[in-house]
Amino acid sequence: MRRGLAAAVVVAALTISASACSGGSSGSDTSGPVTITWWDTSDATNEAGTFKGLVAEFEKANPDVKVEYVSVPFGDAQTKFQTAAGSKGAPDVLRADVGWTPGFVEAGFLAPLDGTAAAAESAKFKPNLIEQAKYQGKLYGVPQVTDTLALMYNKELFAKAGITTAPTTWDALKADLAKVKEKTGVDGFAFNPQSYYAMPFLYGEGADMVDAGKKQITLNSPAAVKGIDTLNSVLETPGIRKLDTTSNAYANIMDAFNSGKVASIIQGPWENANVFKGAAFKDKNNLGIVALPAGSAGQGAPLGGHNLVAYAGSDAKHQEASQKFIAFMTSAPSQVKVALANGTLPTRDDAYTAEVNANPGIAGYSPLLAGGKPRQPLAQYSSLYTPFETQLIKIVSKQETTKPGLDKAAAEAKKLLPEFSTQ
């Protein structure tokens, strides 16, 4: 989300490129330790330090392998990896969003991990997360961290408004927002108009952006229209925070929630650590986390997270080192350390220790994982968020009505999926 100065971006790109090209996958020296390059896409300010510490532990335990750590902004990583892999200069290991797997596999960028050291303990991971790391029956990643969306709310503000039970439907949420505003003067809810945060409104009506099995674009289906109409009705409720469509919307919304100026938001566990730093949540137990309200077809939220994947262009020696590194970084002890330090959710049951479960943020989100909706196994799926978001912003800003706006989004999706039919 962050944007740096143009010069800084250029320097960073050159540094990353140089790091990738000088990494272990291109080295010919067979003496001494193997050097592999890892692109870490975690938050450089709040999360990366934990992973750097694990890298040092891995190197100490495995003196035959050196890891060249490179922090790559998440928003740039997909494009940078595609460019680097296309020129045989990609890192040996990448922390990849779960939605990138199909596209990277079809491009020939990822090495299958079935039967390797990286996947030796795959039976200990949550089954739905392992399935999401597969494509066409083969395993291409090992889940490092997972997430889903939930309703985060300020318990104190809800209590002051006389609300004793978290809302389970969007209509109930709308009623609660008005109460919060009336009783506390605080905005009841803020919505981030990014397409990912609108997915629960589609899922709640039984819709998605596409139906991969039927090869059909469903962004403008009646169910999808109903879902976005529901979102619009929420945004028109008294007590809603003024819609923010600026480039700083994400940060602005989080600042408002963390400081107690907004009572509820839709958010994921990657923000747990930041929320607990906020003035409103010095008492961690003031943070409420519940499943998102349901639509007419039920409740649904996207199942997300990050996998560690191995570059297919690395030679056998570097592949072996990469597999060993992936196994270490996704082991139960490593995941426990990450969860305790960063407040994020482990991907294997044996990492949910008593100490990990004592974190209110983790305890709130972990029961919701079983109901998360995995992304469809389609190479272009992640790219569909862009045309959806372009029209979503216009729709919620009242520049476009729902059906015509979603028709335009579907038309753009058709360009990405010409073999798919439309509604």
Side-chain angles (χ1 to χ4, degrees):
M1 302 295 174
R2 297 177 176 85
R3 295 288 184 269
L5 296 175
V9 171
V10 171
V11 170
L14 291 174
T15 301
I16 291 169
S17 177
S19 298
C21 293
S22 62
S25 58
S26 61
S28 58
D29 183 5
T30 58
S31 63
V34 176
T35 299
I36 60 172
T37 302
W38 178 39
W39 283 11
D40 175 23
T41 60
S42 70
D43 185 281
T45 302
N46 300 300
E47 297 180 328
T50 305
F51 295 118
K52 289 178 182 178
L54 286 174
V55 168
E57 287 185 29
F58 172 79
E59 291 180 327
K60 184 176 180 180
N62 299 272
D64 58 331
V65 182
K66 296 296 181 184
V67 179
E68 185 172 355
Y69 175 94
V70 182
S71 178
V72 181
F74 174 75
D76 302 330
Q78 184 177 17
T79 300
K80 287 183 181 297
F81 184 79
Q82 289 170 331
T83 301
S87 61
K88 304 298 181 182
D92 300 282
V93 179
L94 171 72
R95 180 181 183 267
D97 182 90
V98 296
W100 300 346
T101 299
F104 284 171
V105 172
E106 289 199 354
F109 296 157
L110 303 186
L113 299 176
D114 300 279
T116 71
E121 295 189 328
S122 58
K124 296 182 179 181
F125 288 76
K126 292 183 179 296
N128 58 347
L129 303 183
I130 285 293
E131 285 304 310
Q132 195 166 234
K134 292 182 177 180
Y135 186 61
Q136 296 181 344
K138 292 184 178 181
L139 183 69
Y140 287 96
V142 180
Q144 183 194 39
V145 66
T146 188
D147 60 64
T148 189
L149 292 176
L151 183 72
M152 274 188 175
Y153 69 99
N154 187 313
K155 291 181 180 179
E156 182 181 2
L157 290 174
F158 269 50
K160 286 182 178 179
I163 302 166
T164 57
T165 304
T168 58
T169 67
W170 295 115
D171 282 342
L173 175 67
K174 289 191 289 185
D176 287 347
L177 304 187
K179 292 178 184 177
V180 170
K181 186 67 173 181
E182 179 184 355
K183 299 293 185 180
T184 71
V186 172
D187 292 328
F189 178 74
F191 179 72
N192 183 354
Q194 293 179 321
S195 51
Y196 191 72
Y197 291 90
M199 293 306 296
F201 291 90
L202 298 189
Y203 293 148
E205 301 304 329
D208 200 333
M209 296 188 289
V210 293
D211 185 325
K214 295 180 179 179
K215 290 193 172 183
Q216 188 174 57
I217 295 168
T218 56
L219 258 176
N220 59 337
S221 65
V225 171
K226 185 175 181 180
I228 301 306
D229 279 342
T230 297
L231 169 59
N232 262 329
S233 74
V234 172
L235 298 180
E236 292 166 357
T237 303
I240 199 80
R241 188 174 182 84
K242 183 180 179 181
L243 188 67
D244 187 343
T245 59
T246 69
S247 60
N248 292 322
Y250 185 101
N252 294 339
I253 290 169
M254 290 312 304
D255 287 345
F257 181 69
N258 295 347
S259 62
K261 296 177 182 177
V262 165
S264 64
I265 58 173
I266 296 173
Q267 193 52 279
W270 56 84
E271 282 292 345
N272 279 343
N274 288 331
V275 169
F276 290 138
K277 292 177 183 177
F281 302 101
K282 289 180 179 180
D283 176 1
K284 292 184 178 181
N285 291 314
N286 189 40
L287 178 63
I289 300 170
V290 294
L292 288 171
S296 65
Q299 187 274 339
L303 184 65
H306 294 84
N307 301 328
L308 293 187
V309 300
Y311 176 44
S314 298
D315 61 29
K317 191 174 181 180
H318 292 84
Q319 287 284 345
E320 183 179 357
S322 297
Q323 293 157 10
K324 185 184 295 187
F325 177 66
I326 290 173
F328 176 88
M329 295 297 285
T330 58
S331 67
S334 293
Q335 292 206 28
V336 167
K337 290 178 181 178
V338 172
L340 293 177
N342 296 350
T344 50
L345 302 183
T347 59
R348 44 192 294 165
D349 290 331
D350 54 356
Y352 283 88
T353 64
E355 190 177 9
V356 168
N357 285 325
N359 182 311
I362 294 175
Y365 275 99
S366 57
L368 308 181
L369 292 175
K373 304 288 185 183
R375 301 179 204 187
Q376 296 190 42
L378 185 68
Q380 300 88 344
Y381 189 86
S382 292
S383 299
L384 297 174
Y385 286 123
T386 299
F388 180 26
E389 186 167 312
T390 298
Q391 294 304 319
L392 176 69
I393 291 174
K394 292 180 180 179
I395 292 168
V396 297
S397 300
K398 307 304 181 186
Q399 300 172 31
E400 182 70 90
T401 53
T402 306
K403 183 61 166 63
L406 292 181
D407 283 342
K408 291 175 182 176
E412 290 300 310
K414 175 73 171 174
K415 295 177 183 178
L416 296 170
L417 298 165
E419 72 279 17
F420 277 46
S421 62
T422 55
Q423 294 287 306

